[in-house]
Amino acid sequence: MTTLKVNGQEHQIEADADTPLLYVLRDELKLNAAKFGCGLGQCGSCTVIVDGKAVLSCVTPLLLVEGKQITTLEGLGTDEAPAPIQRAFMEEQAAQCGYCIAGMMMRAQALLQRNSKPTDAEIRAELAPHLCRCGTHMRILRAVKRAAHLMDTAELLPANQGSAR
Ligand code: FES
Ligand code: FES
């Protein structure tokens, strides 16, 4: 039995300790924002935030995240009240097929939590592990900068992000 804290809620999970976190998020907890892309730690589509850091959940076993604060895209905001990063990606129309987008947003969110004014070079370097086959890179870059601006101009982080800063 493994205790997982996901988006502020605690779950008891009956799965082997070496089970990838992504499988539990999607199959057990029905949190489907994080995507299964390569399953090999090579595309970034499965990225979630664990204790403030971007983590590839497809290659992260449960035993490494037990008791830690796990945040998925579902934990950032809602349709009615999207988080700044979600708003920014929508306003910049950064998604095409959308497959990479949840992972991109989660890594960008983790970046903005530790660096509220990243340079273009810092954003590019941070998102380098993420593949976008649709080629919306320039819109994604603009979206991350817009999110930084939104956060900087009085937008509050979601409540469950406070402890990860
Ligand atoms: S699915 Fe995890 S890095 Fe590709
Ligand atoms: S929007 Fe399609 S893979 Fe990035």
Side-chain angles (χ1 to χ4, degrees):
M1 188 77 79
T2 303
T3 303
L4 289 188
K5 294 181 189 165
V6 183
N7 300 334
Q9 288 194 327
E10 209 164 281
H11 303 272
Q12 302 298 325
I13 304 296
E14 286 190 43
D16 291 344
D18 60 355
T19 304
L21 173 60
L22 178 64
Y23 298 3
V24 172
L25 293 175
R26 292 182 58 86
D27 299 339
E28 305 279 328
L29 303 182
K30 308 302 179 195
L31 296 169
N32 293 324
K35 301 289 185 283
F36 186 102
C38 63
L40 299 168
Q42 295 175 354
C43 74
S45 63
C46 63
T47 302
V48 299
I49 298 175
V50 178
D51 281 354
K53 293 194 179 119
V55 162
L56 300 173
S57 63
C58 73
V59 290
T60 301
L62 295 186
L63 65 93
L64 291 185
V65 295
E66 179 159 27
K68 298 184 177 175
Q69 296 289 346
I70 300 164
T71 306
T72 70
L73 187 65
E74 292 92 340
L76 293 188
T78 62
D79 285 351
E80 299 71 33
I85 191 76
Q86 294 166 307
R87 256 184 69 189
F89 270 68
M90 286 189 280
E91 288 170 2
E92 291 293 343
Q93 298 187 6
Q96 201 164 84
C97 81
Y99 210 82
C100 69
I101 294 296
M104 292 274 193
M105 280 196 274
M106 295 312 286
R107 189 174 296 272
Q109 175 76 21
L111 169 65
L112 294 174
Q113 285 174 197
R114 67 174 192 275
N115 177 1
S116 61
K117 290 194 176 75
T119 63
D120 283 17
E122 287 170 332
I123 297 169
R124 286 170 188 265
E126 185 70 19
L127 294 181
H130 290 248
L131 302 181
C132 175
R133 287 175 293 182
C134 299
T136 66
H137 301 84
M138 294 313 293
R139 290 182 181 210
I140 290 168
L141 181 62
R142 286 202 298 272
V144 177
K145 290 197 290 187
R146 181 184 282 257
H149 179 69
L150 289 174
M151 290 177 180
D152 197 38
T153 51
E155 296 290 345
L156 296 175
L157 282 171
N160 68 353
Q161 288 297 295
S163 60
R165 292 198 80 165

